[in-house]
Amino acid sequence: MNEADFAEIEKTLLFISDARERAQRALRALEKNQAEPHLIEAMRDSEAQLAALHRSLMQATYFAVPSEQLAL
């Protein structure tokens, strides 16, 4: 991978982080407004899925072992 590849990955990670932060704010607002439980649970699930997606992308890119190294 080159620097441009990592830049694209980093942008995507930032967008996912931003979406997760927005989901957290929305969850707090829903809880504060005592929204319907299914809405709160859906937002909680969305935030958790975004966190898992971020972690998965990090592990699959920055912490992955290139296939050339596996052959050694």
Side-chain angles (χ1 to χ4, degrees):
M1 284 209 279
N2 61 36
E3 191 172 331
D5 294 340
F6 279 111
E8 289 301 319
I9 293 165
E10 188 63 28
K11 282 191 273 186
T12 302
L13 287 167
L14 288 171
F15 288 136
I16 294 169
S17 292
D18 183 51
R20 183 178 178 205
E21 289 172 9
R22 289 172 186 262
Q24 288 172 333
R25 286 193 302 269
L27 174 59
R28 286 193 298 271
L30 289 170
E31 290 171 335
K32 181 181 177 184
N33 294 334
Q34 298 178 341
E36 295 290 327
H38 72 280
L39 298 176
I40 293 171
E41 189 60 31
M43 190 58 63
R44 188 173 287 125
D45 288 346
S46 295
E47 190 275 331
Q49 289 175 21
L50 287 164
L53 179 60
H54 189 276
R55 183 175 47 259
S56 174
L57 182 56
M58 288 282 292
Q59 290 172 344
T61 55
Y62 291 112
F63 303 109
V65 177
S67 57
E68 307 88 53
Q69 289 183 358
L70 293 176
L72 296 178

